[in-house]
Amino acid sequence: MKIKKIVASALLLCMIASLSACGEKENTTSNTTSNNISQSSTSSTNIINPEYHNNIYSDIKYESSNKNNDYEYIEYVDHVQITKYLGSQTDVTIPSKINDKPVTCIGGDVDTSALGEDPSLFGENINKVTIPDTVTTIGEYAFGNCPNLSNITIPDSVINIYYRNSWTPFKNTKWYDNQPNGIVYAGKIALDYKADNNETTKNTNITIKDDTIGIAPYAFYNQENISSITIPNSVKSIGECAFKDCKNLSNISIPDSVINIGDCAFGGTKWFENQNDGIVYAGKVAYEYKGIIDETEKLIFKNDTVGIADHSFNNALSLAEVIIPNNVEYIGDYAFYNSEIKSLSIGNNVKIIGDHAFAGCYLANVTIPDKVITIGKSAFSDCAFTNITIPNNVEIIESSAFNGCIKLRTINIGNSVISIGEDAFRGCENLKEVKLGNNIKYIGPQAFFNCSKIENIVLPDSITYIGDSAFEYLYSDYEIGTIPTQGKASSLIQ
């Protein structure tokens, strides 16, 4: 689901260590907010840190559309995304599981072309909805244009709320219309800011309430009256364009708890204008480079840096050297995209490498640290290294992660990997040796498409699904050859 993120990519690791429905539960105290939004306690296990990333679950799907009596949905390798309500009830309790997989997303990047100019996924009649604590993401349009919807139960497990253009998931609902002026909260997310149209002062001081865990992109967009904002220590994530074009915003209190900051979060503010050239920090996050990066530049971050923001150093043309210190745990989406880095050192505590983080960098050498949990979509596409080892903490290799790495010759995939996404190694035309881990369940469509020099692949018994053309053009004669396999896996090749 690649859409504008309202709640930035934070908070993955509260559940990512388990890609299923989280096993044992750690109870927290339930809070109830005003304005008919209730919050239930969150459930999590194997908590490393309650932060990071845009998705707890994989983007690897089995089917693009399914139906039961009440819902249309997309079934992924480890979760379900509800894309439309088909029932007629006005009081709806969303199920926690479909097909024995946790429902983690409502709405999202779905086809709304058949729904008209003002799409509604839940219809006009719904007036109450209860969301289960398996849900981590509320996607665009989810409850928009439900004019009678006045009562929503949002669990603390919701850490991502998506946004497209002017569409929040709650646009044109009675719930949103009834919110007073000021910050609008959806669960523990600062969703939006409602201002009085007659407000003329340019000296508004904003304090976000304690226990807020994320700030939506565009939440305060173009609010010229705001001059200062205080962010509590509970906030882990500041979303894309969250304060963009708040022209009079000069004073921002950013706590050390913030791990991830979205693209252009502070663009067009006095705060950013007042920063010196060089690496600009927002709290302990390397937010952006101000000025022009020389091709001989050696980027050395502060030792206490904990995150590198989305889009922070992309299109830098050429960097002599990038040294990412050991305290960094999150490298954001597109962080170094298309920057042609000559030398890269990734600190050994990095856990998340975001989508397209190093795509187009033509890296000749890279070592993925052992603590990495997620390698994002197209994270290393078109790089120039010759071998790669996927460490044992990685469970998902997302789509196109190493697509087009034409010099890659050997890959060694750790035993924790359960899924290899679509096009993951597509076009690695010099790849000869592939060692797969023993627990892989899913190999996506065209995962090894046109890897014409591979000599053999041993497919373990654990595999339950192999997508279309996953091994097409595996050999130089452009036919699928005889692949040494174990047990049932050979029969799954399409």
Side-chain angles (χ1 to χ4, degrees):
M1 290 167 278
K2 204 62 184 169
I3 31 193
K4 288 184 179 178
K5 300 170 190 171
I6 283 193
V7 169
S9 332
L11 305 166
L12 168 62
L13 295 182
C14 59
M15 286 184 266
I16 194 166
S18 171
L19 287 175
S20 59
C22 292
E24 297 178 6
K25 297 183 177 182
E26 176 177 294
N27 294 323
T28 59
T29 304
S30 290
N31 297 313
T32 302
T33 61
S34 59
N35 304 313
N36 291 318
I37 293 189
S38 353
Q39 299 178 0
S40 64
S41 61
T42 186
S43 304
S44 57
T45 188
N46 297 325
I47 294 178
I48 302 173
N49 277 311
E51 46 225 23
Y52 313 107
H53 208 45
N54 56 339
N55 275 320
I56 286 178
Y57 294 90
S58 168
D59 281 342
I60 298 172
K61 65 180 71 172
Y62 280 117
E63 302 289 344
S64 59
S65 182
N66 297 275
K67 289 183 181 180
N68 60 23
N69 290 335
D70 292 318
Y71 298 97
E72 288 183 359
Y73 60 91
I74 298 171
E75 185 173 350
Y76 292 79
V77 66
D78 54 4
H79 70 290
V80 169
Q81 171 190 357
I82 288 175
T83 57
K84 189 176 181 182
Y85 177 60
L86 303 175
S88 58
Q89 299 296 316
T90 59
D91 184 343
V92 176
T93 297
I94 293 171
S96 60
K97 288 186 177 182
I98 293 178
N99 295 341
D100 206 34
K101 293 180 180 180
V103 173
T104 66
C105 180
I106 304 166
D109 195 9
V110 299
D111 182 9
T112 59
S113 58
L115 300 177
E117 186 174 335
D118 295 317
S120 176
L121 302 183
F122 272 74
E124 296 183 357
N125 296 324
I126 187 173
N127 58 46
K128 181 180 180 182
V129 64
T130 301
I131 299 172
D133 64 6
T134 56
V135 171
T136 62
T137 300
I138 299 176
E140 57 186 279
Y141 307 116
F143 303 104
N145 282 323
C146 296
N148 295 306
L149 180 58
S150 60
N151 194 316
I152 308 172
T153 300
I154 301 177
D156 292 353
S157 58
V158 172
I159 58 175
N160 297 300
I161 299 180
Y162 288 99
Y163 185 104
R164 186 189 291 273
N165 299 325
S166 61
W167 274 94
T168 77
F170 308 100
K171 184 177 180 180
N172 295 337
T173 64
K174 188 176 290 186
W175 170 79
Y176 183 83
D177 292 344
N178 288 341
Q179 300 303 306
N181 286 342
I183 303 172
V184 177
Y185 294 91
K188 289 191 173 183
I189 305 304
L191 174 70
D192 201 1
Y193 184 77
K194 294 177 73 173
D196 188 338
N197 290 333
N198 296 320
E199 194 174 19
T200 57
T201 178
K202 297 187 185 303
N203 196 29
T204 302
N205 302 316
I206 300 295
T207 299
I208 295 173
K209 70 179 182 180
D210 291 343
D211 294 332
T212 301
I213 60 174
I215 300 172
Y218 296 91
F220 298 89
Y221 174 71
N222 202 30
Q223 295 293 334
E224 297 186 15
N225 298 319
I226 296 175
S227 60
S228 72
I229 189 155
T230 301
I231 300 171
N233 288 327
S234 55
V235 170
K236 310 296 182 181
S237 164
I238 299 174
E240 175 187 2
C241 299
F243 301 99
K244 187 175 187 297
D245 292 338
C246 293
K247 297 178 181 179
N248 292 291
L249 179 56
S250 58
N251 188 3
I252 308 172
S253 172
I254 303 170
D256 291 348
S257 60
V258 172
I259 293 291
N260 182 37
I261 298 176
D263 182 29
C264 209
F266 304 105
T269 64
K270 281 187 178 179
W271 175 85
F272 185 72
E273 291 174 3
N274 292 337
Q275 303 300 311
N276 295 325
D277 284 356
I279 300 174
V280 175
Y281 289 87
K284 290 188 175 181
V285 176
Y287 166 66
E288 190 174 319
Y289 193 95
K290 189 175 182 182
I292 298 174
I293 300 178
D294 187 87
E295 65 178 10
T296 62
E297 187 83 27
K298 182 177 180 179
L299 284 185
I300 302 177
F301 298 92
K302 294 179 180 178
N303 286 334
D304 63 352
T305 303
V306 296
I308 298 175
D310 295 351
H311 295 257
S312 48
F313 304 94
N314 61 333
N315 294 309
L317 298 183
S318 182
L319 290 169
E321 186 174 4
V322 175
I323 299 174
I324 298 174
N326 286 334
N327 279 333
V328 170
E329 299 184 14
Y330 180 94
I331 300 174
D333 295 348
Y334 293 87
F336 296 95
Y337 173 76
N338 200 31
S339 293
E340 200 171 342
I341 299 169
K342 292 182 176 67
S343 175
L344 172 67
S345 173
I346 302 177
N348 57 27
N349 283 309
V350 168
K351 297 180 177 70
I352 303 299
I353 299 175
D355 297 348
H356 302 269
F358 297 99
C361 288
Y362 308 108
L363 289 165
N365 296 286
V366 68
T367 299
I368 299 176
D370 288 340
K371 291 185 180 180
V372 168
I373 293 171
T374 293
I375 299 174
K377 288 177 284 189
S378 299
F380 293 98
S381 62
D382 299 317
C383 283
F385 39 71
T386 57
N387 61 80
I388 197 75
T389 296
I390 310 298
N392 280 327
N393 277 322
V394 175
E395 294 181 331
I396 302 292
I397 300 174
E398 292 287 4
S399 59
S400 299
F402 299 92
N403 188 337
C405 294
I406 60 175
K407 294 186 177 182
L408 184 62
R409 293 179 179 273
T410 64
I411 54 173
N412 190 346
I413 296 175
N415 285 326
S416 292
V417 173
I418 62 170
S419 299
I420 298 175
E422 182 174 359
D423 297 321
F425 297 95
R426 176 175 177 152
C428 295
E429 56 191 47
N430 286 297
L431 184 59
K432 288 186 176 181
E433 184 180 355
V434 178
K435 294 182 179 180
L436 300 180
N438 295 326
N439 293 301
I440 292 175
K441 296 180 180 179
Y442 178 104
I443 297 178
Q446 304 184 68
F448 294 93
F449 184 92
N450 202 20
C451 295
S452 56
K453 294 184 179 179
I454 291 179
E455 295 173 355
N456 62 38
I457 298 179
V458 177
L459 305 181
D461 269 351
S462 57
I463 294 176
T464 60
Y465 180 90
I466 297 177
D468 291 344
S469 303
F471 298 104
E472 192 163 350
Y473 305 152
L474 184 65
Y475 295 99
S476 57
D477 59 1
Y478 297 104
E479 294 179 0
I480 294 178
T482 301
I483 302 174
T485 64
Q486 298 175 12
K488 63 186 179 182
S490 59
S491 65
L492 299 172
I493 297 175
Q494 303 178 44

